[in-house]
């Protein structure tokens, strides 16, 4: 029995986008449900465990997945590669759990309820590490990849809602995530068996695969660290209510950013194809996408910021209305993110991922320095405002490097065409034509 052929590119983009969007919405709705049912203090505990685990997730999951998908086309029989990536992710998860506890103790987060939440979140991380959705994305089987992501999102919300009816505890969230991930592993294995790929037992990864995984996971890890540092550094000294307000604000912002990134991920294959077909048009497309995304995001932020209080009350419950000033002050950070993200994808489309790595690394250092200074001034949750200068630094540095290495360019003729949506559609159009 042979594996199913890859889905058409357009079908892959749509199915992948729907699956990823469902996953990100489920994450946001899960936190929202915890806030509504359990209140401010419980969400603060969840936020601390979530911030620590999110940093580890990039190395344990994202890096090996990207390395495995990149290597998949070179394997006519991918069972061995699947086993190696699975082994790498499980080993990474096993190493990450004690490191999460060490980080919690080092930061002074040694309350029993927080440590228990961190431990349960580590179990959820281990369960997710065995996931197989990445395999079907690497094989180009968009329907199965999208189905697994949709199933995991739906099961997480189902188990969380049912669990909270029986047990009013923040521990229900990682338990629901672990159960949903486990069921999806079983479904994924059945898909592989139907294709005659057998049961991919775990295997010790090769050094090249491990090295590539670490390199690819570094950017995501640094990005997660950038967003999580405000919570991690605020948690030891600030009241749990303040940590909860910061968690709610950042979780909403990351939810909006996640939806935006699904859009960029869906367009990434097109950026790569246009760049290969016509480098000049690819450079113009990347710059137009960056500028127009930032302008659209600026408009949306201007509309959403005055509505911070009703958004928080609707998302997490009436107790969270007090976090409205913080959310309103942080929402504009989405604008530089919208500007920088297409440039990062242009780096990768042109075979220059190291530029994205260095840019993200420097941004993380700026955030760490700013957070250290703000914490020393006892700013509490408002230390997160350092994200503004840090993310604008990232956007401007990304643009500078992109222009310097000739990876983006103004469209021919009038420069303002880069802000015209019609130019964006023309630049992305196939077959090759005038821009």
């Amino acid at each position: 029995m042979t594996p199913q052929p890859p889905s058409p590119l357009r079908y892959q983009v749509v199915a992948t986008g729907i699956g990823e969007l469902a996953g990100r919405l489920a994450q946001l709705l899960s936190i929202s449900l915890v806030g509504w049912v359990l209140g401010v203090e419980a969400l603060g505990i969840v936020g601390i465990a979530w911030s620590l685990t999110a940093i580890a997730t990039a190395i344990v999951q994202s890096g090996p997945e990207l390395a495995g998908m990149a290597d998949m086309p070179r394997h006519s029989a991918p069972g061995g590669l699947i086993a190696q990536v699975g082994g790498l992710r499980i080993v990474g998860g096993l190493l990450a759990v004690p490191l999460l506890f060490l980080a919690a103790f080092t930061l002074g987060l040694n309350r029993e309820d927080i440590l228990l939440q961190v431990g349960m979140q580590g179990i959820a991380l281990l369960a997710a590490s065995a996931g197989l959705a990445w395999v079907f994305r690497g094989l180009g089987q968009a329907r199965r990849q999208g189905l697994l992501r949709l199933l995991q999102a739906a099961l997480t919300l189902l188990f969380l809602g049912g669990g909270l009816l029986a047990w009013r505890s923040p521990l229900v969230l990682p338990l629901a995530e672990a159960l949903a991930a486990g069921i999806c592993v079983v479904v994924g294995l059945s898909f592989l068996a139907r294709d005659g790929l057998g049961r991919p037992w775990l295997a010790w990864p090769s050094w090249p695969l491990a090295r590539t995984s670490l390199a690819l996971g570094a950017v995501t890890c640094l990005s997660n660290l950038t967003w999580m540092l405000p919570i991690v550094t605020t948690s030891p000294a600030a009241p749990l209510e303040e940590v909860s307000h910061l968690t709610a604000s950042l979780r909403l912002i990351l939810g909006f950013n996640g939806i935006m990134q699904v859009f960029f991920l869906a367009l990434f294959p097109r950026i790569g194809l246009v760049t290969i077909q016509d480098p000049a048009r690819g450079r113009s497309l990347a710059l137009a996408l960056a500028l127009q995304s930032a302008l659209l995001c600026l408009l949306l932020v201007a509309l959403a910021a005055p509505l911070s209080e009703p958004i928080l009350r609707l998302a997490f419950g009436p107790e969270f209305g007090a976090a409205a000033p913080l959310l309103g002050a942080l929402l504009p950070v989405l604008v530089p993110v919208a500007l920088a993200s297409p440039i990062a994808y242009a780096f990768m489309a042109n075979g220059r991922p190291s530029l994205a790595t260095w840019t993200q690394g420097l941004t993380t250092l700026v955030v760490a320095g700013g957070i250290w200074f703000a914490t020393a001034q006892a700013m509490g949750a408002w230390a997160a405002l350092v994200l503004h200068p840090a993310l604008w630094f990232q956007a401007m540095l990304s643009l500078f490097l992109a222009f310097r290495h000739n990876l983006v360019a103004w469209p021919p003729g009038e420069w303002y065409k880069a802000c015209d949506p019609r130019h964006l559609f023309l630049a992305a159009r196939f077959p090759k034509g005038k821009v």
Side-chain angles (χ1 to χ4, degrees):
M1 198 170 181
T2 57
Q4 292 185 356
S7 307
L9 178 59
R10 182 178 299 178
Y11 189 79
Q12 289 186 41
V13 170
V14 173
T16 299
I18 291 174
E20 292 301 317
L21 181 62
R24 295 174 191 270
L25 286 175
Q27 292 173 357
L28 182 59
L29 290 173
S30 296
I31 298 292
S32 175
L33 194 56
V34 170
W36 268 100
V37 176
L38 301 180
V40 172
E41 184 171 344
L43 189 61
I45 294 171
V46 167
I48 293 170
W50 162 65
S51 62
L52 292 173
T53 309
I55 299 170
T57 299
I59 298 295
V60 174
Q61 294 183 29
S62 302
E65 284 184 8
L66 291 171
M69 286 189 290
D71 204 26
M72 189 78 74
R74 291 190 285 271
H75 292 259
S76 56
L81 176 64
I82 296 171
Q84 287 190 51
V85 173
L88 184 60
R89 295 177 70 180
I90 293 298
V91 169
L94 291 172
L95 292 175
V97 172
L99 290 176
L100 291 176
F101 281 110
L102 178 61
F105 275 108
T106 302
L107 292 168
L109 303 171
N110 51 7
R111 281 179 42 171
E112 182 179 350
D113 51 357
I114 294 177
L115 292 177
L116 190 57
Q117 189 74 27
V118 169
M120 291 303 301
Q121 203 67 54
I123 293 175
L125 175 64
L126 277 172
S129 298
L132 293 168
W134 72 271
V135 175
F136 303 104
R137 186 173 180 184
L139 292 172
Q141 297 177 13
R143 182 178 64 84
R144 289 179 171 178
Q145 188 262 345
L147 178 61
L148 283 176
R149 293 288 286 160
L150 283 169
L151 179 63
Q152 186 168 353
L155 288 176
T156 299
L157 292 174
L158 178 64
F159 290 148
L160 177 61
L164 288 174
L165 290 176
W167 186 24
R168 298 296 183 92
S169 169
L171 295 175
V172 174
L173 176 58
L175 282 173
E177 292 174 342
L179 284 172
I183 291 174
C184 288
V185 169
V186 175
V187 175
L189 287 173
S190 70
F191 288 158
L192 291 178
R194 291 179 193 177
D195 284 349
L197 294 176
R199 183 176 299 174
W201 299 104
L202 302 180
W204 191 256
S206 65
W207 169 241
L209 179 65
R211 182 177 55 196
T212 304
S213 298
L214 288 172
L216 292 174
V219 176
T220 307
C221 182
L222 290 170
S223 177
N224 288 353
L225 185 60
T226 296
W227 289 103
M228 295 303 110
L229 271 174
I231 297 177
V232 170
T233 54
T234 299
S235 300
L240 201 53
E241 181 180 5
E242 195 169 342
V243 176
S244 181
H245 289 169
L246 179 58
T247 297
S249 299
L250 284 180
R251 202 65 189 88
L252 276 175
I253 290 172
L254 285 173
F256 298 148
N257 181 43
I259 294 171
M260 182 168 62
Q261 293 303 323
V262 169
F263 169 73
F264 291 139
L265 279 170
L267 284 178
F268 177 56
R270 177 54 59 94
I271 295 174
L273 288 172
V274 171
T275 300
I276 292 171
Q277 184 194 59
D278 186 343
R281 193 150 57 102
R283 292 191 289 269
S284 176
L285 172 61
L287 183 61
L289 181 59
L291 293 177
Q292 293 185 38
S293 298
L295 289 173
L296 179 60
C297 195
L298 179 62
L299 174 62
L300 294 177
V301 165
L303 294 173
L307 302 174
S308 294
E309 184 172 350
I311 289 174
L312 282 162
R313 289 179 179 274
L314 177 64
F316 301 103
E319 297 176 274
F320 288 86
L326 183 61
L327 176 61
L330 288 175
L331 269 174
V333 301
L334 288 169
V335 178
V337 173
L339 181 60
S341 294
I343 305 301
Y345 288 118
F347 290 156
M348 291 183 279
N350 285 274
R352 303 295 295 271
S354 60
L355 293 176
T357 303
W358 282 105
T359 302
Q360 186 61 64
L362 290 172
T363 303
T364 304
L365 287 176
V366 172
V367 171
I371 289 287
W372 173 81
F373 176 79
T375 302
Q377 308 304 312
M379 291 181 62
W382 289 94
L385 291 179
V386 75
L387 290 172
H388 283 289
L391 293 174
W392 274 110
F393 165 79
Q394 181 180 23
M396 293 299 102
L397 179 60
S398 297
L399 279 172
F400 170 77
L401 292 174
F403 275 110
R404 181 173 181 179
H405 293 278
N406 197 29
L407 304 181
V408 299
W410 295 101
E414 298 87 351
W415 65 268
Y416 60 81
K417 287 167 62 178
C419 300
D420 186 345
R422 293 173 298 177
H423 167 75
L424 184 63
F425 291 126
L426 285 172
R429 190 176 60 182
F430 284 97
K432 182 178 174 181
K434 292 183 178 181
V435 180

